[in-house]
Amino acid sequence: MELAQFAIRKLIGGIPLVIGVTFISFVLMVYFGPDKTYELLGKNPTPEQIEEVRHQLGYDRPFFVRYADYLQELVTLDFGHSDSTGERVSGLLVRTIPVSLALTAPGFILGNALGIVLALIAAYHRGGWIDKLIMGGAVVGMSISFLIAIVAFQLIFSSSYGLNLFPVRGWDVYSLADYVRYVTVPTLATVFVALGYNTRFYRAVIVEEMTRDHVRTARAFGARPWKLLYKNILKNSLIPIITRIMFSIPLVVISGSLLIESYFGIPGVGKVTYDAITTGDQPVLKAVVGLTAVLFVFTLLLTDIMYKMVDPRVSLK
């Protein structure tokens, strides 16, 4: 009962966040986005033709009426049709979100899991050569642009100049073997870059926890290293770790990986979003922005519930 009341309060409290995000993005799209009127008309259109197309696009309607329609679309999950392809936006998202999830999940999981393991090792050997080696590798990963990493991995693993083991573009997946072939190089590029940021962040959290009195006491009583790291340090470091992981999920699920999907030609929601930005496809952009905001609200709720699960001292009131 307490959990249900907390969830309802949290979801209601998230409504201003959704309204704020959607309102700002809608202002930008309406007043600074491309006007598709002249793209849909031929040369030398008459004023009547211009007026008719603007009416069809809804440009002649008051701003707040259009914004109210946008909120209604977000509530009903009916965003109409894409301006570019004519496909229903809801169908477009249903088709592309699973592709993005399948593409980004391995890199997301490995990047965080390996980051935690390396951070534990580096923190345990703080100041030693192992710590310096891991942190040096993390700095290298952080210093290299994601775009450069993608191109480099494509050259090494997917081109005739390198090993030429995996496809350089596309998403022709019908079996597990196909999936492994298409997802390996994007995953390696994602892990390479994410590992640097994740390892440095998790190490800082774990090092701070290692300075606590209960850790020093456990060490003085001869606690084994693995038990000390897992029971006394990692468990007590979970709240910032959960925060970082959970707040990355909405961008992975809805926004996808714009660069990865664009450079590998993978038809996920990230590529759809990139195409919508370049073509000014407002129905798609409105859906992506609105759903990302809604997912952030649910993520906030789940994050607080997970806080309670890992630390009973946390109250849901």
Side-chain angles (χ1 to χ4, degrees):
M1 191 64 184
E2 180 190 4
L3 181 62
Q5 291 176 343
F6 172 77
I8 292 171
R9 285 200 308 271
K10 201 73 179 178
L11 292 176
I12 293 174
I15 292 175
L17 170 66
V18 175
I19 292 176
V21 171
T22 53
F23 183 79
I24 293 172
S25 63
F26 193 68
V27 168
L28 294 175
M29 281 186 271
V30 169
Y31 291 106
F32 300 98
D35 188 334
K36 297 185 75 69
T37 304
Y38 296 96
E39 293 181 21
L40 300 175
L41 291 169
K43 292 182 179 179
N44 303 319
T46 64
E48 291 76 18
Q49 289 175 319
I50 294 173
E51 186 179 351
E52 182 181 352
V53 170
R54 292 187 66 81
H55 178 71
Q56 291 173 356
L57 293 172
Y59 289 172
D60 58 347
R61 304 172 67 199
F63 172 84
F64 283 102
V65 174
R66 294 172 64 186
Y67 179 65
D69 288 345
Y70 175 27
L71 293 180
Q72 184 180 358
E73 291 171 357
L74 188 59
V75 172
T76 59
L77 297 179
D78 183 2
F79 297 95
H81 295 79
S82 164
D83 288 342
S84 301
T85 65
E87 184 178 357
R88 287 194 67 80
V89 175
S90 54
L92 190 68
L93 295 177
V94 168
R95 179 169 56 81
T96 54
I97 286 177
V99 174
S100 290
L101 283 176
L103 173 68
T104 55
F108 182 75
I109 294 170
L110 284 175
N112 282 288
L114 291 176
I116 292 172
V117 172
L118 290 175
L120 282 169
I121 296 172
Y124 188 76
H125 297 281
R126 184 172 44 152
W129 67 270
I130 294 178
D131 180 26
K132 292 176 182 175
L133 181 65
I134 292 174
M135 286 300 97
V139 171
V140 171
M142 293 170 62
S143 304
I144 297 177
S145 160
F146 194 20
L147 179 59
I148 299 297
I150 290 172
V151 174
F153 276 90
Q154 282 182 323
L155 281 172
I156 294 171
F157 293 102
S158 306
S159 75
S160 57
Y161 298 103
L163 301 175
N164 202 15
L165 296 175
F166 302 98
V168 68
R169 288 178 64 82
W171 186 258
D172 198 14
V173 176
Y174 297 99
S175 64
L176 181 60
D178 293 338
Y179 174 65
V180 172
R181 286 181 66 239
Y182 280 97
V183 86
T184 298
V185 181
T187 298
L188 289 174
T190 303
V191 171
F192 178 79
V193 174
L195 208 52
Y197 292 96
N198 290 340
T199 303
R200 281 191 67 85
F201 176 81
Y202 296 144
R203 179 189 176 278
V205 171
I206 292 167
V207 165
E208 183 180 353
E209 192 60 35
M210 289 178 72
T211 61
R212 307 283 186 193
D213 290 341
H214 70 278
V215 176
R216 282 199 293 266
T217 303
R219 183 175 286 166
F221 275 90
R224 293 179 180 178
W226 66 269
K227 186 177 179 181
L228 186 72
L229 286 172
Y230 174 71
K231 186 176 179 180
N232 299 97
I233 298 175
L234 183 58
K235 278 190 171 181
N236 290 306
S237 306
L238 282 178
I239 285 187
I241 291 174
I242 287 172
T243 303
R244 182 177 178 83
I245 293 174
M246 292 298 291
F247 276 73
S248 304
I249 290 176
L251 296 177
V252 173
V253 174
I254 296 295
S255 300
S257 182
L258 296 176
L259 283 176
I260 283 281
E261 292 178 10
S262 299
Y263 273 81
F264 284 92
I266 295 172
V269 71
K271 187 172 186 306
V272 167
T273 305
Y274 176 80
D275 293 340
I277 293 171
T278 56
T279 60
D281 194 337
Q282 289 194 8
V284 175
L285 289 176
K286 287 191 295 183
V288 171
V289 171
L291 291 177
T292 303
V294 171
L295 200 54
F296 259 113
V297 173
F298 281 99
T299 300
L300 285 171
L301 170 63
L302 289 176
T303 303
D304 286 340
I305 293 173
M306 291 181 74
Y307 288 166
K308 177 69 175 176
M309 292 170 64
V310 301
D311 188 350
R313 295 171 298 179
V314 175
S315 173
L316 294 180
K317 293 183 179 177

